[in-house]
mmCIF file of all heavy atoms in Angstrom:
data_model
loop_
_atom_site.group_PDB
_atom_site.id
_atom_site.type_symbol
_atom_site.label_atom_id
_atom_site.label_comp_id
_atom_site.label_asym_id
_atom_site.label_seq_id
_atom_site.Cartn_x
_atom_site.Cartn_y
_atom_site.Cartn_z
ATOM 1 N N PRO A 1 -1.965 -252.230 -21.637
ATOM 2 C CA PRO A 1 -3.133 -252.769 -22.402
ATOM 3 C C PRO A 1 -4.298 -252.770 -21.497
ATOM 4 O O PRO A 1 -5.470 -253.063 -22.067
ATOM 5 C CB PRO A 1 -2.698 -254.166 -22.774
ATOM 6 C CG PRO A 1 -1.630 -254.535 -21.824
ATOM 7 C CD PRO A 1 -0.894 -253.219 -21.514
ATOM 8 N N TYR A 2 -4.167 -252.621 -20.248
ATOM 9 C CA TYR A 2 -5.337 -252.733 -19.273
ATOM 10 C C TYR A 2 -5.754 -251.323 -18.764
ATOM 11 O O TYR A 2 -6.492 -251.232 -17.760
ATOM 12 C CB TYR A 2 -4.969 -253.588 -18.106
ATOM 13 C CG TYR A 2 -4.442 -254.969 -18.498
ATOM 14 C CD1 TYR A 2 -3.200 -255.444 -18.118
ATOM 15 C CD2 TYR A 2 -5.164 -255.721 -19.402
ATOM 16 C CE1 TYR A 2 -2.754 -256.610 -18.617
ATOM 17 C CE2 TYR A 2 -4.810 -256.996 -19.862
ATOM 18 C CZ TYR A 2 -3.550 -257.405 -19.437
ATOM 19 O OH TYR A 2 -3.019 -258.633 -19.896
ATOM 20 N N ARG A 3 -5.183 -250.280 -19.353
ATOM 21 C CA ARG A 3 -5.539 -248.944 -18.944
ATOM 22 C C ARG A 3 -5.918 -248.127 -20.237
ATOM 23 O O ARG A 3 -5.046 -247.820 -21.066
ATOM 24 C CB ARG A 3 -4.447 -248.359 -18.290
ATOM 25 C CG ARG A 3 -4.868 -246.974 -17.573
ATOM 26 C CD ARG A 3 -3.653 -246.364 -16.827
ATOM 27 N NE ARG A 3 -4.090 -245.243 -15.978
ATOM 28 C CZ ARG A 3 -3.330 -244.441 -15.342
ATOM 29 N NH1 ARG A 3 -1.892 -244.638 -15.480
ATOM 30 N NH2 ARG A 3 -3.682 -243.391 -14.592
ATOM 31 N N ARG A 4 -7.153 -247.718 -20.375
ATOM 32 C CA ARG A 4 -7.617 -247.093 -21.515
ATOM 33 C C ARG A 4 -8.358 -245.795 -21.081
ATOM 34 O O ARG A 4 -9.032 -245.704 -20.156
ATOM 35 C CB ARG A 4 -8.626 -247.887 -22.349
ATOM 36 C CG ARG A 4 -7.948 -249.193 -22.819
ATOM 37 C CD ARG A 4 -6.954 -249.009 -23.882
ATOM 38 N NE ARG A 4 -6.435 -250.152 -24.481
ATOM 39 C CZ ARG A 4 -5.196 -250.460 -24.895
ATOM 40 N NH1 ARG A 4 -4.334 -249.472 -24.782
ATOM 41 N NH2 ARG A 4 -4.825 -251.582 -25.398
ATOM 42 N N ARG A 5 -8.196 -244.777 -21.960
ATOM 43 C CA ARG A 5 -8.953 -243.484 -21.794
ATOM 44 C C ARG A 5 -10.207 -243.532 -22.563
ATOM 45 O O ARG A 5 -10.275 -244.120 -23.630
ATOM 46 C CB ARG A 5 -8.082 -242.285 -22.185
ATOM 47 C CG ARG A 5 -6.876 -242.156 -21.314
ATOM 48 C CD ARG A 5 -6.040 -240.917 -21.683
ATOM 49 N NE ARG A 5 -4.846 -240.720 -20.857
ATOM 50 C CZ ARG A 5 -4.729 -240.279 -19.639
ATOM 51 N NH1 ARG A 5 -5.895 -239.839 -19.089
ATOM 52 N NH2 ARG A 5 -3.678 -240.096 -19.015
ATOM 53 N N GLY A 6 -11.206 -242.852 -22.078
ATOM 54 C CA GLY A 6 -12.506 -242.698 -22.847
ATOM 55 C C GLY A 6 -13.320 -244.007 -22.714
ATOM 56 O O GLY A 6 -12.972 -244.931 -22.033
ATOM 57 N N ARG A 7 -14.370 -244.013 -23.494
ATOM 58 C CA ARG A 7 -15.223 -245.187 -23.541
ATOM 59 C C ARG A 7 -14.603 -246.447 -24.094
ATOM 60 O O ARG A 7 -13.917 -246.370 -25.217
ATOM 61 C CB ARG A 7 -16.558 -244.933 -24.198
ATOM 62 C CG ARG A 7 -17.446 -243.994 -23.307
ATOM 63 C CD ARG A 7 -18.887 -244.025 -23.877
ATOM 64 N NE ARG A 7 -19.795 -243.312 -23.006
ATOM 65 C CZ ARG A 7 -21.077 -243.310 -23.136
ATOM 66 N NH1 ARG A 7 -21.586 -243.922 -24.137
ATOM 67 N NH2 ARG A 7 -21.907 -242.619 -22.259
ATOM 68 N N THR A 8 -14.876 -247.588 -23.602
ATOM 69 C CA THR A 8 -14.312 -248.825 -24.173
ATOM 70 C C THR A 8 -15.444 -249.400 -25.024
ATOM 71 O O THR A 8 -16.550 -249.718 -24.566
ATOM 72 C CB THR A 8 -13.992 -249.800 -23.027
ATOM 73 O OG1 THR A 8 -13.059 -249.335 -22.218
ATOM 74 C CG2 THR A 8 -13.445 -251.136 -23.600
ATOM 75 N N PRO A 9 -15.145 -249.637 -26.333
ATOM 76 C CA PRO A 9 -16.250 -250.290 -27.191
ATOM 77 C C PRO A 9 -16.506 -251.693 -26.776
ATOM 78 O O PRO A 9 -15.583 -252.458 -26.458
ATOM 79 C CB PRO A 9 -15.574 -250.148 -28.646
ATOM 80 C CG PRO A 9 -14.051 -250.146 -28.317
ATOM 81 C CD PRO A 9 -13.873 -249.422 -26.976
ATOM 82 N N ILE A 10 -17.717 -252.021 -26.844
ATOM 83 C CA ILE A 10 -18.174 -253.364 -26.523
ATOM 84 C C ILE A 10 -18.710 -254.041 -27.789
ATOM 85 O O ILE A 10 -19.519 -253.388 -28.456
ATOM 86 C CB ILE A 10 -19.355 -253.318 -25.453
ATOM 87 C CG1 ILE A 10 -18.990 -252.558 -24.190
ATOM 88 C CG2 ILE A 10 -19.894 -254.737 -25.205
ATOM 89 C CD1 ILE A 10 -17.792 -253.174 -23.511
ATOM 90 N N ALA A 11 -18.220 -255.210 -28.135
ATOM 91 C CA ALA A 11 -18.610 -255.861 -29.331
ATOM 92 C C ALA A 11 -20.110 -256.146 -29.295
ATOM 93 O O ALA A 11 -20.614 -256.472 -28.312
ATOM 94 C CB ALA A 11 -17.747 -257.123 -29.482
ATOM 95 N N ALA A 12 -20.702 -256.043 -30.492
ATOM 96 C CA ALA A 12 -22.120 -256.273 -30.534
ATOM 97 C C ALA A 12 -22.641 -257.584 -30.030
ATOM 98 O O ALA A 12 -23.596 -257.606 -29.266
ATOM 99 C CB ALA A 12 -22.664 -256.003 -31.982
ATOM 100 N N ASP A 13 -21.850 -258.593 -30.406
ATOM 101 C CA ASP A 13 -22.233 -260.022 -29.912
ATOM 102 C C ASP A 13 -22.108 -260.138 -28.411
ATOM 103 O O ASP A 13 -22.866 -260.831 -27.730
ATOM 104 C CB ASP A 13 -21.501 -261.047 -30.655
ATOM 105 C CG ASP A 13 -19.936 -260.976 -30.484
ATOM 106 O OD1 ASP A 13 -19.457 -259.831 -30.106
ATOM 107 O OD2 ASP A 13 -19.244 -261.899 -30.760
ATOM 108 N N GLU A 14 -21.083 -259.484 -27.854
ATOM 109 C CA GLU A 14 -20.911 -259.583 -26.357
ATOM 110 C C GLU A 14 -21.981 -258.735 -25.639
ATOM 111 O O GLU A 14 -22.438 -259.122 -24.683
ATOM 112 C CB GLU A 14 -19.460 -259.041 -26.044
ATOM 113 C CG GLU A 14 -18.383 -259.968 -26.280
ATOM 114 C CD GLU A 14 -18.438 -261.209 -25.306
ATOM 115 O OE1 GLU A 14 -17.971 -261.059 -24.185
ATOM 116 O OE2 GLU A 14 -19.094 -262.167 -25.666
ATOM 117 N N ALA A 15 -22.330 -257.593 -26.189
ATOM 118 C CA ALA A 15 -23.474 -256.843 -25.653
ATOM 119 C C ALA A 15 -24.730 -257.652 -25.551
ATOM 120 O O ALA A 15 -25.486 -257.629 -24.611
ATOM 121 C CB ALA A 15 -23.588 -255.444 -26.351
ATOM 122 N N LEU A 16 -25.021 -258.356 -26.606
ATOM 123 C CA LEU A 16 -26.214 -259.161 -26.722
ATOM 124 C C LEU A 16 -26.088 -260.368 -25.711
ATOM 125 O O LEU A 16 -27.073 -260.715 -25.050
ATOM 126 C CB LEU A 16 -26.393 -259.699 -28.049
ATOM 127 C CG LEU A 16 -27.010 -258.679 -29.184
ATOM 128 C CD1 LEU A 16 -26.964 -259.257 -30.512
ATOM 129 C CD2 LEU A 16 -28.433 -258.296 -28.732
ATOM 130 N N ARG A 17 -24.890 -260.906 -25.620
ATOM 131 C CA ARG A 17 -24.713 -262.177 -24.752
ATOM 132 C C ARG A 17 -25.059 -261.851 -23.320
ATOM 133 O O ARG A 17 -25.549 -262.588 -22.486
ATOM 134 C CB ARG A 17 -23.253 -262.560 -24.844
ATOM 135 C CG ARG A 17 -22.965 -263.771 -24.025
ATOM 136 C CD ARG A 17 -21.560 -264.296 -24.200
ATOM 137 N NE ARG A 17 -20.562 -263.506 -23.640
ATOM 138 C CZ ARG A 17 -20.108 -263.546 -22.302
ATOM 139 N NH1 ARG A 17 -20.634 -264.439 -21.575
ATOM 140 N NH2 ARG A 17 -19.197 -262.659 -21.860
ATOM 141 N N VAL A 18 -24.668 -260.587 -22.791
ATOM 142 C CA VAL A 18 -24.899 -260.268 -21.396
ATOM 143 C C VAL A 18 -26.056 -259.386 -21.039
ATOM 144 O O VAL A 18 -26.287 -258.946 -19.951
ATOM 145 C CB VAL A 18 -23.539 -259.529 -20.881
ATOM 146 C CG1 VAL A 18 -22.295 -260.361 -21.098
ATOM 147 C CG2 VAL A 18 -23.453 -258.182 -21.593
ATOM 148 N N ALA A 19 -26.837 -259.066 -22.122
ATOM 149 C CA ALA A 19 -27.962 -258.113 -21.955
ATOM 150 C C ALA A 19 -28.870 -258.613 -20.901
ATOM 151 O O ALA A 19 -29.354 -257.820 -20.023
ATOM 152 C CB ALA A 19 -28.755 -257.913 -23.243
ATOM 153 N N ALA A 20 -29.301 -259.900 -20.912
ATOM 154 C CA ALA A 20 -30.225 -260.391 -19.952
ATOM 155 C C ALA A 20 -29.647 -260.411 -18.516
ATOM 156 O O ALA A 20 -30.310 -260.264 -17.560
ATOM 157 C CB ALA A 20 -30.710 -261.768 -20.296
ATOM 158 N N SER A 21 -28.283 -260.674 -18.446
ATOM 159 C CA SER A 21 -27.733 -260.642 -17.080
ATOM 160 C C SER A 21 -27.747 -259.249 -16.477
ATOM 161 O O SER A 21 -28.010 -259.106 -15.276
ATOM 162 C CB SER A 21 -26.152 -261.075 -17.212
ATOM 163 O OG SER A 21 -26.103 -262.456 -17.574
ATOM 164 N N ILE A 22 -27.446 -258.245 -17.259
ATOM 165 C CA ILE A 22 -27.516 -256.849 -16.698
ATOM 166 C C ILE A 22 -28.884 -256.588 -16.364
ATOM 167 O O ILE A 22 -29.280 -255.912 -15.373
ATOM 168 C CB ILE A 22 -27.036 -255.823 -17.738
ATOM 169 C CG1 ILE A 22 -25.506 -256.153 -17.966
ATOM 170 C CG2 ILE A 22 -27.156 -254.447 -17.272
ATOM 171 C CD1 ILE A 22 -24.831 -255.244 -19.019
ATOM 172 N N GLY A 23 -29.878 -257.007 -17.289
ATOM 173 C CA GLY A 23 -31.336 -256.869 -16.825
ATOM 174 C C GLY A 23 -31.573 -257.535 -15.462
ATOM 175 O O GLY A 23 -32.440 -257.011 -14.672
ATOM 176 N N GLY A 24 -31.057 -258.734 -15.241
ATOM 177 C CA GLY A 24 -31.170 -259.463 -13.960
ATOM 178 C C GLY A 24 -30.650 -258.638 -12.830
ATOM 179 O O GLY A 24 -31.136 -258.759 -11.707
ATOM 180 N N TYR A 25 -29.520 -257.785 -13.065
ATOM 181 C CA TYR A 25 -29.075 -257.077 -11.905
ATOM 182 C C TYR A 25 -30.020 -256.043 -11.566
ATOM 183 O O TYR A 25 -30.262 -255.775 -10.314
ATOM 184 C CB TYR A 25 -27.753 -256.396 -12.458
ATOM 185 C CG TYR A 25 -26.537 -257.265 -12.752
ATOM 186 C CD1 TYR A 25 -25.620 -256.857 -13.748
ATOM 187 C CD2 TYR A 25 -26.465 -258.544 -12.369
ATOM 188 C CE1 TYR A 25 -24.546 -257.582 -14.119
ATOM 189 C CE2 TYR A 25 -25.431 -259.326 -12.666
ATOM 190 C CZ TYR A 25 -24.377 -258.872 -13.564
ATOM 191 O OH TYR A 25 -23.210 -259.619 -13.961
ATOM 192 N N TRP A 26 -30.741 -255.382 -12.500
ATOM 193 C CA TRP A 26 -31.717 -254.432 -12.170
ATOM 194 C C TRP A 26 -32.866 -254.965 -11.323
ATOM 195 O O TRP A 26 -33.474 -254.335 -10.574
ATOM 196 C CB TRP A 26 -32.352 -253.799 -13.416
ATOM 197 C CG TRP A 26 -31.336 -252.761 -14.067
ATOM 198 C CD1 TRP A 26 -30.710 -252.958 -15.311
ATOM 199 C CD2 TRP A 26 -30.946 -251.551 -13.599
ATOM 200 N NE1 TRP A 26 -29.963 -251.772 -15.617
ATOM 201 C CE2 TRP A 26 -30.078 -250.984 -14.550
ATOM 202 C CE3 TRP A 26 -31.209 -250.869 -12.376
ATOM 203 C CZ2 TRP A 26 -29.513 -249.741 -14.379
ATOM 204 C CZ3 TRP A 26 -30.610 -249.587 -12.251
ATOM 205 C CH2 TRP A 26 -29.751 -249.064 -13.211
ATOM 206 N N SER A 27 -33.131 -256.378 -11.533
ATOM 207 C CA SER A 27 -34.245 -256.922 -10.832
ATOM 208 C C SER A 27 -34.134 -256.933 -9.340
ATOM 209 O O SER A 27 -35.070 -257.053 -8.582
ATOM 210 C CB SER A 27 -34.454 -258.373 -11.289
ATOM 211 O OG SER A 27 -33.461 -259.207 -10.767
ATOM 212 N N ALA A 28 -32.782 -256.774 -8.856
ATOM 213 C CA ALA A 28 -32.563 -256.774 -7.372
ATOM 214 C C ALA A 28 -32.697 -255.408 -6.810
ATOM 215 O O ALA A 28 -32.640 -255.236 -5.556
ATOM 216 C CB ALA A 28 -31.105 -257.245 -7.107
ATOM 217 N N THR A 29 -33.017 -254.413 -7.636
ATOM 218 C CA THR A 29 -33.293 -253.025 -7.118
ATOM 219 C C THR A 29 -34.755 -252.775 -7.032
ATOM 220 O O THR A 29 -35.456 -253.047 -8.038
ATOM 221 C CB THR A 29 -32.512 -252.006 -7.930
ATOM 222 O OG1 THR A 29 -33.046 -251.997 -9.216
ATOM 223 C CG2 THR A 29 -31.011 -252.339 -8.014
#
């Protein structure tokens, strides 16, 4: 269950929940 081929789908609500965090990662570059 922890090994998948291809792209892993990300739930829409989860993608929204972490969007600002990923944006914050970019701020350090």
Side-chain angles (χ1 to χ4, degrees):
Y2 308 122
R3 190 179 189 190
R4 300 292 186 212
R5 296 183 182 277
R7 287 194 170 187
T8 302
I10 305 300
D13 59 340
E14 282 291 273
L16 283 170
R17 181 178 71 86
V18 303
S21 289
I22 297 173
Y25 299 153
W26 285 115
S27 74
T29 63

